[in-house]
Amino acid sequence: MRKLLRRGAAAFAAAASLALMSLGATPAQADSSAIPSGMTWTVLAKGTDGTIRVGADSATDAYNGDTAATATLPVLCLRVDGSAVPGGITPDFYAGWARGTVAATPPVPGRSLTSRAAADAICARYYGAGWREAEFHDGRYGANLEASGGWSFWAYGYVPEGTRFWTAINDQPANPWN
């Protein structure tokens, strides 16, 4: 009986996968057993004035996520307070100015990040009102910082080097909740 049930479940999963693929899903999206992945960033540089540059490196996948949601990592948090660009930093598309401060939470399971609101709530729980999960496009550049870029940004703050952080992206399915 167990053998029959396993075959039936496998056949159902295969049929569901084929049905999803016929609707345009990729094989990974159609695989109902696939574990969601989230995008992660790391520390790229440290300034001498309390600034830090965080962003994508060669391990980052901003399109599909690079780390399984089963992993436990800190959340990269940001509080935008309108801080002016410090001397020595020239914001551009790939390394903007986030206009605030970053911090990292203690490690949390990616599966606990069930939505952007859930991730933001974790940041607020650790750091207070006005803190939220950092997002791929938080770096600003241009006259009056009117344009948003991507891939990395500078901010004030401290986060540990050599660590990966859950970081949101608002226009790709590369978050643990996608």
Side-chain angles (χ1 to χ4, degrees):
M1 181 59 126
R2 283 187 195 154
K3 192 174 184 181
L4 182 61
L5 289 174
R6 272 184 283 201
R7 283 186 184 162
F12 178 77
S17 179
L18 287 172
L20 286 171
M21 289 175 66
S22 72
L23 296 173
T26 66
Q29 292 167 327
D31 180 1
S32 60
S33 66
I35 296 171
S37 293
M39 181 187 71
T40 62
W41 276 11
T42 193
V43 174
L44 300 176
K46 287 186 160 190
T48 58
D49 54 356
T51 58
I52 189 164
R53 183 176 170 206
V54 292
D57 64 2
S58 62
T60 302
D61 183 343
Y63 303 102
N64 304 296
D66 51 79
T67 303
T70 54
T72 300
L73 299 172
V75 176
L76 182 64
C77 300
L78 173 68
R79 181 176 53 96
V80 175
D81 60 12
S83 296
V85 180
I89 293 177
T90 303
D92 63 28
F93 180 90
Y94 296 103
W97 175 246
R99 304 167 296 162
T101 304
V102 291
T105 68
V108 300
R111 289 187 190 246
S112 69
L113 305 176
T114 57
S115 67
R116 179 65 191 266
D120 292 347
I122 291 170
C123 291
R125 180 173 59 223
Y126 282 102
Y127 298 110
W131 285 86
R132 62 170 173 79
E133 184 179 25
E135 199 273 332
F136 181 93
H137 302 93
D138 277 329
R140 310 292 294 183
Y141 70 100
N144 301 314
L145 302 176
E146 79 281 355
S148 68
W151 300 102
S152 77
F153 62 74
W154 286 92
Y156 287 111
Y158 169 81
V159 293
E161 294 180 74
T163 302
R164 302 204 68 76
F165 309 96
W166 298 117
T167 306
I169 185 164
N170 65 14
D171 62 354
Q172 298 295 325
N175 301 288
W177 56 84
N178 293 127

